[in-house]
Amino acid sequence: MNWFRNLTIAWKLLVCFGFVIVCLASVTFWINGIIKQNEKEGDYALSARSLRNNANRMRLAMLTMELA
């Protein structure tokens, strides 16, 4: 860390702010990845729900045919 002590205050501030910006950018990309993954899982849940609804409709149709 001797190289850091030899820098001027302006360069130290620039290095520190650059590090903070890189960290914020990486967290932003990470959060966007999580959001996209949740959207995909939501699509799977909707398709599973629609399959279940269709199966229930078929059961209802079969029961009404048996009763008729």
Side-chain angles (χ1 to χ4, degrees), residues 19-41:
F19 180 72
V20 168
I21 288 172
V22 168
C23 289
L24 286 175
S26 65
V27 168
T28 302
F29 287 125
W30 179 64
I31 289 173
N32 282 336
I34 290 174
I35 289 171
K36 288 181 182 180
Q37 183 66 29
N38 285 342
E39 288 174 355
K40 288 180 185 176
E41 290 174 0

Side-chain angles (χ1 to χ4, degrees), residues 25-64:
S26 65
V27 168
T28 302
F29 287 125
W30 179 64
I31 289 173
N32 282 336
I34 290 174
I35 289 171
K36 288 181 182 180
Q37 183 66 29
N38 285 342
E39 288 174 355
K40 288 180 185 176
E41 290 174 0
D43 293 340
Y44 293 139
L46 286 176
S47 64
R49 182 180 292 169
S50 68
L51 286 174
R52 187 171 183 176
N53 287 339
N54 289 338
N56 286 335
R57 283 189 199 123
M58 282 192 255
R59 278 192 221 126
L60 179 64
M62 289 180 69
L63 286 172
T64 54

Side-chain angles (χ1 to χ4, degrees), residues 1-13 15-16:
M1 284 302 251
N2 201 13
W3 64 272
F4 194 72
R5 284 189 208 152
N6 293 335
L7 293 176
T8 61
I9 292 176
W11 280 105
K12 287 179 184 177
L13 286 172
V15 168
C16 290

